Amino acid sequence: MYGEVLQAVRTLAISYATPYTTIDVGSTPSANGLAMYLGAGAPDAEDMNRGSRNTIFITLNGKDADQQKIVTTLSAIHKALNRLKDFPAGADWEILNIKTSAAPGYIEQESSGQWLYGSILTVEFYLKGV
């Protein structure tokens, strides 16, 4: 289910990733672009039917020779996801909220001139019980 939640958030983020059209799964894109991966997380609370409210952290990184383009793109994704009111759901899970836990920030400039920026999304979701 964690992979399904990651894919759902990735699909949402792609729709706001102008000028990029895709987001790789992994820590950093190999060229100009974005990458996303699943970080830490755990259940926050469990109910009587063994369902649980969970929080996971999804890292979203970007790399581009144009520093402004990557910062603008990451910011647009965070802004859009933080404002959502309707979230995706699967057969046994549903996303409850997406918020920024680390705004887009500078990581490094590679020797090739590529700028690398990173950010973290907090995703709260409900896992249905038995």
Side-chain angles (χ1 to χ4, degrees), residues 2 4 16 28 38 53 56 64 67 71 83 87 100-101 111 122:
Y2 292 111
E4 292 176 53
Y16 301 108
T28 55
L38 187 60
R53 185 179 176 105
I56 57 172
D64 202 293
Q67 182 182 24
V71 172
R83 291 183 171 181
F87 298 98
T100 297
S101 54
S111 59
T122 300

Side-chain angles (χ1 to χ4, degrees), residues 44-101:
D44 299 319
E46 193 171 284
D47 55 32
M48 296 299 285
N49 69 351
R50 304 294 291 174
S52 60
R53 185 179 176 105
N54 301 268
T55 300
I56 57 172
F57 300 96
I58 296 178
T59 300
L60 176 61
N61 292 327
K63 185 192 314 187
D64 202 293
D66 182 341
Q67 182 182 24
Q68 186 62 37
K69 183 188 293 183
I70 199 64
V71 172
T72 300
T73 301
L74 288 172
S75 296
I77 292 169
H78 277 264
K79 180 180 177 181
L81 296 181
N82 277 268
R83 291 183 171 181
L84 286 178
K85 293 181 182 175
D86 296 314
F87 298 98
D92 64 347
W93 57 269
E94 65 179 293
I95 294 176
L96 304 172
N97 196 19
I98 301 173
K99 57 189 176 183
T100 297
S101 54

